[in-house]
Amino acid sequence: MKGTFKTLIIVGIVSIFAWTMWAAPAAAETAARIDTVSKSNFGKTVKQLETAIKGRGMMVVATIDHQNMLRMVGASVKGSKTLEFGKPDMMKMVIPSTPEAGLEMPMKIYVYEQADGKSLVSYVKPSARFAAYGKDDLNMVGQMMDKMFEEIVTEATK
Amino acid sequence: MLITLNDVAFVLAGLVVIALTLRRRWVIPPAEPAPPASTGEVMLTGLALVTAAIGPNILVVALTPGMPGMPVLSLWALLPSLVLLLAVWGLAFLWGYERLTNRIWTGIWIGGASTAALDLFRLISFSLGLLPGNMPRMFGVLILDTMAVGPTPYSDVVGSLYHYWVSACFGLTYTLICGRTRWWGGLIWGLIIEVGMMATPPMVVAMDTGYFGLKLGKGLLNGVFLGSLVPHIAYGIVLGLLIERYVRQKGSIVSVIREALTTKKRSECGPRPVPVSGG
């Protein structure tokens, strides 16, 4: 009886430890990653996203069409595109003060189609990306960008 | 769609050319007597061989780490090689090197047309999942530098043109080096090309198959090796069948060089033979 009780306590402690190890980063990821279901189809969502980005004076520097690319290697997937975008003055707020944060530029938003035909627009909050650098000015830029991303995605998913 | 209309159109066009040209000369005509060789012909043959080497090798160079990419090489090596080949053909025509003009023209169209036989089996292999990619579609995005957006109808046409040109270069290389041979000469050439393809960066590095696809397991019975061996056998056989019908003279590049050197020595040592005028 005593042995069983001891075993239960050990299993309990190990379980709590394992759960905290697993749950902590998962929760952070959930907070950082935003997935928004679009009211429009895939093609229209991408178009609206491009319009929303350009409407804020930014440039789409690259569109990566995963679906089309995968056709070359014999894989068939639903709509899947990544839009990379930015503008020089946005970079100016980041790279001169924190050159190592250049890794986060340009910003990107991913649009993909699920099996049920619904399209989702996903991104990782800039504030979460910049938080890793531990600089206040960069955190402020990140929060400002969060707001801009939210507006862009709202416009793209209408 | 994994196989595009462009793929099908190129194959159909090539198969029609193969069928019509084989039907036209179903019975193999006898080889024509070889015209006298000259140093000029040998020099032009060498230049034509250089141009034939550029087409396939820009891909090997482009996929080698540290080397310029396909957009640069296409512009600065491939296009000039086409111009140079046209110039070589023009000079050979002007100077009356009938054997060389026949070998250049025949090598190109036979090599290009035979690609349809290769593609027929290549597309089947690709559809069965044996080959890791639809290579001409990749060539298109590599040449136009549009990998991010993936293939478009335009890039597919560009890629197929390059793919067929590469095969034309292999046909040209064969006719320039070997001249007219039996059909199995083409088959051996197809197998040599297969060995080359299985051991160079486009497959080994870019497609990450390892040498002869050995990285995929199953030894030489792996899908990549078998899936490309059969198309190259088909290419070689059709190439050989057309060569023995359309290349006019026998005689490899070695015999042409030997004869050119002998003629030169003779002309240096003694009086030139006086041509006998008929009538």
Side-chain angles (χ1 to χ4, degrees), chain B residues 62-107:
Chain B
L63 296 177
T64 303
M67 291 291 157
M70 280 296 272
V72 174
L73 292 171
S74 302
L75 190 65
W76 297 103
L78 184 62
L79 291 180
S81 79
L82 298 180
V83 176
L84 184 60
L85 183 61
L86 192 68
V88 168
W89 183 85
L91 285 176
F93 183 77
L94 280 177
W95 293 343
Y97 299 146
E98 191 207 309
R99 170 176 39 206
L100 183 56
T101 50
N102 169 253
R103 286 182 182 186
I104 290 176
W105 169 237
T106 314

Side-chain angles (χ1 to χ4, degrees), chain A residues 71-85:
Chain A
R71 283 186 183 130
M72 294 191 293
V73 288
S76 188
V77 296
K78 291 212 157 227
S80 169
K81 277 186 182 179
T82 299
L83 268 70
E84 293 186 343
F85 59 94

Side-chain angles (χ1 to χ4, degrees), chain B residues 177-199:
Chain B
I177 292 177
C178 302
R180 180 174 171 146
T181 61
R182 294 298 310 280
W183 67 271
W184 45 262
L187 174 60
I188 294 171
W189 186 229
L191 293 172
I192 291 171
I193 296 167
E194 165 72 6
V195 170
M197 192 182 129
M198 287 286 116

Side-chain angles (χ1 to χ4, degrees), chain A residues 63-65 68-69 71-75, chain B residues 126 132-134 138 147-151:
Chain A
T63 302
I64 298 150
D65 189 338
N68 203 17
M69 234 197 255
R71 283 186 183 130
M72 294 191 293
V73 288
Chain B
F126 175 61
N134 194 349
M138 294 212 178
M147 185 59 93
V149 283

Side-chain angles (χ1 to χ4, degrees), chain A residues 34-39 45 112 119-123 153-154 157:
Chain A
I34 307 290
D35 293 280
T36 312
V37 179
S38 175
K39 292 184 185 81
T45 305
Y112 68 103
S119 293
L120 273 92
V121 179
S122 306
Y123 66 92
V153 171
T154 308
T157 53

Side-chain angles (χ1 to χ4, degrees), chain B residues 54-264:
Chain B
I54 289 172
N57 281 307
I58 60 162
L59 183 69
V60 179
V61 172
L63 296 177
T64 303
M67 291 291 157
M70 280 296 272
V72 174
L73 292 171
S74 302
L75 190 65
W76 297 103
L78 184 62
L79 291 180
S81 79
L82 298 180
V83 176
L84 184 60
L85 183 61
L86 192 68
V88 168
W89 183 85
L91 285 176
F93 183 77
L94 280 177
W95 293 343
Y97 299 146
E98 191 207 309
R99 170 176 39 206
L100 183 56
T101 50
N102 169 253
R103 286 182 182 186
I104 290 176
W105 169 237
T106 314
I108 288 173
W109 80 255
I110 282 178
S114 304
T115 319
L118 176 140
D119 260 12
L120 186 67
F121 291 96
R122 182 185 63 80
L123 290 171
I124 293 170
S125 297
F126 175 61
S127 304
L128 292 173
L130 298 177
L131 292 177
N134 194 349
M135 298 305 274
R137 301 195 85 189
M138 294 212 178
F139 298 155
V141 295
L142 282 173
I143 290 169
L144 297 174
D145 203 11
T146 55
M147 185 59 93
V149 283
T152 59
Y154 174 58
S155 76
D156 285 346
V157 172
V158 170
S160 291
L161 284 175
Y162 175 70
H163 173 52
Y164 276 70
W165 175 249
V166 166
S167 301
C169 288
F170 283 121
L172 175 61
T173 306
Y174 186 87
T175 55
L176 289 175
I177 292 177
C178 302
R180 180 174 171 146
T181 61
R182 294 298 310 280
W183 67 271
W184 45 262
L187 174 60
I188 294 171
W189 186 229
L191 293 172
I192 291 171
I193 296 167
E194 165 72 6
V195 170
M197 192 182 129
M198 287 286 116
T200 44
M203 288 305 281
V204 179
V205 180
M207 284 294 168
D208 198 26
T209 60
Y211 291 99
F212 297 93
L214 291 174
K215 221 172 173 181
L216 306 170
K218 296 183 192 170
L220 280 180
L221 292 177
N222 67 79
V224 168
F225 180 62
L226 294 179
S228 71
L229 177 66
V230 175
H232 281 100
I233 287 175
Y235 170 79
I237 291 173
V238 174
L239 186 81
L241 288 172
L242 291 171
I243 280 169
E244 65 180 351
R245 284 166 173 79
Y246 285 92
V247 175
R248 289 195 200 127
Q249 290 97 8
K250 283 184 179 171
S252 70
I253 192 169
V254 178
S255 65
V256 175
I257 293 170
R258 200 181 293 146
E259 200 201 325
L261 290 175
T262 320
T263 315
K264 198 180 169 195

